[in-house]
């Protein structure tokens, strides 16, 4: 028959008291951190201690085993690694779409369409001013209006350019800030790697350190893509933007240039946003440059005097009867008419708005033509929203606006026909002229300037709507996964209160058991063997 210690009951009760106390303390830690971000609910794993009378040669023949109480084997946190992986994968996508959505909203505000003060309204005013000038080319107020609306158009384009530059600079600055933020997180993860290695190397569970590390990885996944590798001893290595930023306790900080290698997260969103800004800029540049230099076929009345050397599309006849075949050069100063007597006009090909304006003559005598209405501030042959300007000479002297396409010789002097508005009429007609645009910037390769701008704003709206939809979908997905994570790791106060009652009752019962055993021992020690005293 097995022989048990007289104090066996005390030892069993003591173990129960210790274990239930640890459970109560852990539960109190859960309650205290119910609102702590990133905290995972912890649980004490209890197990019965090794029973007495284990199988051996000296084993008693008495039936049954006598238990020795309870002990806790570990204090673990409740966490689902699969949900963590899902959360970070979707969170980094949400970070990217969030930045892109904010950028597209900014671009829409910059274009500001439809509105009564956007680029479309300014362009309408510009074309309308040319129609007014066409009706009366001598009218000073009409000439002033043409220059004024042209300056407004240029100012609006430059304002858009400035806004795009500011937005692009903000994106670059944000990349720098986010890289700094990411590097701080990376350094802290490496430090926690060391703390977890040391703590768990002693056989403990570094639950709180692991919570902090997981929270930092969650935050890092908002900024940049993360690929996490964990060793059997719980040490993490992380690769972000193609760089192994954490290797156990070693750190390789990110640089701003690494943002280009990010496949997700806010850094990838900023890179994609920079591309969106550049796309819009190129679309606007293409519109402006095509309007200024795109191929335009124009008809001028018989009697037109060439303001410069130009190429005829049809056979033309000079005053001296010389016929210049189509494709040949018409010398500057030649008064020409169609070689076909049945035609009252001549077809010419010029380069855009400026080419058309260069055909005409202002009000000054002797007539002078071949003057560009728009020029570039940097002398470039390519017009952009940044370098376009109204010819400074025309801004100073509105008589230089070339509305007329004819002049007469009075005596020996050449004098502009001030009431002629052939060129003003042709320029006003550019509003409905179909141009050919670069095919790689918008879905519209041919159309009027208004068509192109509508396509541009429509394309921007579609991309913005698509970005917003993706961001909202991604946010809902992240919220759903996070909710599932909270179901596993979150602290439920109701559940903790239930556990509190359970552990408290167990503790009280163990204490009462110890008291009962103590009273029994008191009887043995102090109440027995006193006969004859």
């Amino acid at each position: 028959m097995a022989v048990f210690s007289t104090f066996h009951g005390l030892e069993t009760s003591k173990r129960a008291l210790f274990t239930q106390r640890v459970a109560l303390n852990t539960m109190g830690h859960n309650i205290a951190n119910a609102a702590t971000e990133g905290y995972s609910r912890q649980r004490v794993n209890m197990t019965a201690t090794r029973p007495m009378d284990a199988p051996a040669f000296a084993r008693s023949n008495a039936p049954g085993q006598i238990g020795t109480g309870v002990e806790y084997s570990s204090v673990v946190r409740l966490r689902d690694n699969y949900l963590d992986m899902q959360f970070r994968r979707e969170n980094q996508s949400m970070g990217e779409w969030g930045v892109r959505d904010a950028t597209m909203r900014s671009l829409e505000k910059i274009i500001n369409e439809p509105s009564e003060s956007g680029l479309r309204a300014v362009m309408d005013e510009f074309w309308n001013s040319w129609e007014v000038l066409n009706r009366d080319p001598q009218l000073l107020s009409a000439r002033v209006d043409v220059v004024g609306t042209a300056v407004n158009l240029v100012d609006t384009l430059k304002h858009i350019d400035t806004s795009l530059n500011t937005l692009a600079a903000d994106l670059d600055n944000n990349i720098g800030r986010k890289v700094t933020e990411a590097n701080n997180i990376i350094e802290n993860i490496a430090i926690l790697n060391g703390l977890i290695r040391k703590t768990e190397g002693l056989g403990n569970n570094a639950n709180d350190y692991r919570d902090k590390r997981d929270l930092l990885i969650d935050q890092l996944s908002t900024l940049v893509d993360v690929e996490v590798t964990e060793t059997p001893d719980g040490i993490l290595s992380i690769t972000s933007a193609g760089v192994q930023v954490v290797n156990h306790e070693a750190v390789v900080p990110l640089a701003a240039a690494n943002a280009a290698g990010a496949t997700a997260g806010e850094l990838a969103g900023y890179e994609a946003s920079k591309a969106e800004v550049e796309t819009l800029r190129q679309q606007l540049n293409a519109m402006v440059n095509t309007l200024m230099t795109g191929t335009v076929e124009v008809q001028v009345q018989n009697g037109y005097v060439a303001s410069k050397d130009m190429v005829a599309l049809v056979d033309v006849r000079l005053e001296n009867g010389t016929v210049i075949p189509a494709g040949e050069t018409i010398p500057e100063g030649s008064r020409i008419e169609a070689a076909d007597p049945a035609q009252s006009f001549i077809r010419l090909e010029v380069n855009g708005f400026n080419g058309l304006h260069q055909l005409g003559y202002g009000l000054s005598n002797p007539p002078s033509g071949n003057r560009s209405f728009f020029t570039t501030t940097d002398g470039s042959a390519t017009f952009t929203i940044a370098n376009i300007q109204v010819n400074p000479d025309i801004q100073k002297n509105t008589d230089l606006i070339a509305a007329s396409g004819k002049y007469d010789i009075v005596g020996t002097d050449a004098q502009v026909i001030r009431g002629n508005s052939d060129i003003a009429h042709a320029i006003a007609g550019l509003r409905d002229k179909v141009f050919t645009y670069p095919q790689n910037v918008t879905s519209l390769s041919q159309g009027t300037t208004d068509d192109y701008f509508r396509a541009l704003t429509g394309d921007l709206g579609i991309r913005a709507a698509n970005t917003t939809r993706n961001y909202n979908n991604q946010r809902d997905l992240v919220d759903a996964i996070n909710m599932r994570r909270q179901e596993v790791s979150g602290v439920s106060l109701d559940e903790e209160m239930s556990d509190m009652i359970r552990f408290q009752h167990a503790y009280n019962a163990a204490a009462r058991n110890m008291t009962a055993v103590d009273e029994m021992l008191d009887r043995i020690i102090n109440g027995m063997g006193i006969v004859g005293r």
Side-chain angles (χ1 to χ4, degrees):
M1 184 176 180
V3 177
F4 302 104
S5 167
T6 305
F7 301 99
H8 174 80
L10 288 178
E11 181 64 22
T12 301
S13 298
K14 185 194 73 176
R15 289 175 177 174
L17 289 173
F18 285 171
T19 301
Q20 300 304 324
R21 185 189 65 188
V22 170
L24 280 167
N25 289 341
T26 302
M27 181 210 62
H29 187 52
N30 286 340
I31 293 174
N33 288 282
T36 301
E37 184 183 7
Y39 180 78
S40 301
R41 179 162 58 98
Q42 296 180 11
R43 182 181 65 194
V44 177
N45 286 328
M46 300 181 190
T47 181
T49 52
R50 181 181 178 183
M52 295 184 63
D53 212 7
F57 286 113
R59 177 184 178 277
S60 168
N61 290 325
Q65 285 185 325
I66 302 299
T68 58
V70 65
E71 65 182 356
Y72 65 94
S73 58
S74 60
V75 181
V76 298
R77 61 181 191 147
L78 302 180
R79 196 93 181 183
D80 189 326
N81 291 333
Y82 176 68
L83 291 176
D84 285 343
M85 183 182 65
Q86 274 192 316
F87 176 83
R88 289 161 189 163
R89 184 180 62 236
E90 304 304 336
N91 190 49
Q92 60 194 20
S93 294
M94 187 184 72
E96 176 184 353
W97 285 114
V99 171
R100 295 179 65 174
D101 181 55
T103 301
M104 296 306 293
R105 291 174 187 271
S106 298
L107 292 178
E108 285 186 311
K109 290 179 180 177
I110 290 174
I111 294 299
N112 193 26
E113 294 293 345
S115 73
E116 296 180 354
S117 58
L119 180 59
R120 183 193 300 277
V122 175
M123 290 172 64
D124 288 343
E125 292 174 357
F126 175 67
W127 292 123
N128 292 339
S129 69
W130 278 97
E131 291 178 357
V132 173
L133 183 66
N134 173 43
R135 290 194 288 271
D136 187 354
Q138 298 183 83
L139 190 62
L140 177 60
S141 62
R143 288 177 173 270
V144 172
D145 193 37
V146 164
V147 172
T149 57
V151 170
N152 287 343
L153 175 60
V154 168
D155 288 347
T156 302
L157 292 172
K158 288 184 180 298
H159 176 70
I160 292 175
D161 176 66
T162 301
S163 298
L164 292 178
N165 289 339
T166 302
L167 180 57
D170 289 344
L171 293 173
D172 281 332
N173 291 335
N174 282 342
I175 286 176
R177 284 196 290 269
K178 294 300 178 182
V179 166
T180 301
E181 187 178 341
N183 286 335
N184 288 335
I185 293 174
I186 289 167
E187 289 178 5
N188 287 326
I189 290 174
I191 292 172
L192 286 168
N193 262 349
L195 292 173
I196 291 170
R197 181 182 60 80
K198 294 173 184 175
T199 302
E200 297 190 347
L202 299 174
N204 298 319
N205 299 107
N207 296 324
D208 293 336
Y209 288 150
R210 281 179 173 266
D211 280 346
K212 291 179 180 177
R213 188 177 64 178
D214 283 337
L215 178 60
L216 289 174
I217 297 173
D218 290 348
Q219 294 171 348
L220 184 63
S221 70
T222 302
L223 302 176
V224 65
D225 55 286
V226 293
E227 182 179 340
V228 181
T229 305
E230 184 171 1
T231 62
D233 57 353
I235 306 304
L236 298 184
S237 296
I238 298 177
T239 300
S240 295
V243 179
Q244 187 171 26
V245 292
V246 176
N247 184 12
H248 291 207
E249 297 175 46
V251 169
V252 177
L254 289 173
N258 295 128
T263 58
E266 292 184 356
L267 290 181
Y270 286 120
E271 288 295 323
S273 296
K274 288 168 61 178
E276 290 286 359
V277 173
E278 191 58 27
T279 296
L280 180 58
R281 187 195 306 279
Q282 293 305 321
Q283 289 175 337
L284 291 169
N285 285 343
M287 182 184 73
V288 171
N289 191 57
T290 301
L291 177 61
M292 293 299 120
T293 63
T295 301
V296 175
E297 184 179 314
V298 60
Q299 297 178 354
V300 296
Q301 298 294 320
N302 284 338
Y304 170 72
V305 180
S307 61
K308 60 179 181 177
D309 291 347
M310 57 187 62
V311 177
L313 292 180
V314 296
D315 295 348
V316 299
R317 188 188 308 279
L318 305 184
E319 286 181 300
N320 60 11
T322 302
V323 174
I324 298 180
E328 297 293 327
T329 300
I330 304 171
E332 178 183 350
S334 302
R335 187 178 296 276
I336 58 177
E337 61 182 23
D340 182 358
Q343 295 293 327
S344 61
F345 57 84
I346 306 159
R347 289 168 50 218
L348 300 172
E349 186 174 274
V350 296
N351 292 328
F353 189 101
N354 272 343
L356 200 51
H357 190 266
Q358 288 169 353
L359 292 180
Y361 301 94
L363 296 178
S364 60
N365 289 316
S368 62
N370 195 20
R371 180 175 286 103
S372 296
F373 188 86
F374 291 101
T375 59
T376 56
T377 54
D378 55 5
S380 171
T382 302
F383 285 84
T384 67
I385 58 175
N387 68 10
I388 188 172
Q389 67 173 354
V390 178
N391 189 328
D393 294 335
I394 293 179
Q395 290 190 60
K396 295 175 184 175
N397 182 6
T398 58
D399 286 351
L400 298 180
I401 298 175
S404 174
K406 290 181 180 178
Y407 66 81
D408 283 335
I409 303 298
V410 180
T412 57
D413 298 331
Q415 296 183 356
V416 171
I417 301 176
R418 301 174 70 89
N420 181 271
S421 63
D422 289 350
I423 300 305
H425 176 74
I427 290 178
L430 276 184
R431 185 177 195 168
D432 300 320
K433 170 65 182 174
V434 174
F435 289 96
T436 299
Y437 302 94
Q439 295 184 351
N440 58 340
V441 290
T442 68
S443 57
L444 183 67
S445 58
Q446 284 192 327
T448 66
T449 304
D450 287 346
D451 291 339
Y452 182 87
F453 189 65
R454 277 195 293 271
L456 182 154
T457 54
D459 183 45
L460 178 64
I462 291 172
R463 296 204 309 274
N466 183 57
T467 302
T468 300
R469 181 175 58 253
N470 285 339
Y471 171 61
N472 290 337
N473 291 342
Q474 202 63 34
R475 184 182 57 192
D476 292 342
L477 183 57
V478 169
D479 288 345
I481 295 174
N482 194 40
M483 188 173 297
R484 290 171 57 195
R485 273 206 322 179
Q486 290 302 313
E487 290 174 356
V488 175
S489 304
V491 176
S492 168
L493 293 179
D494 291 339
E495 186 176 346
E496 297 300 326
M497 292 300 292
S498 174
D499 285 344
M500 178 192 295
I501 295 173
R502 188 160 58 94
F503 297 144
Q504 183 185 21
H505 284 183
Y507 188 92
N508 291 341
R512 291 183 64 83
N513 183 57
M514 179 173 281
T515 301
V517 173
D518 179 61
E519 290 177 353
M520 290 167 52
L521 293 176
D522 179 67
R523 174 61 62 187
I524 293 173
I525 296 171
N526 299 315
M528 296 176 68
I530 60 174
V531 177
R533 284 184 182 178

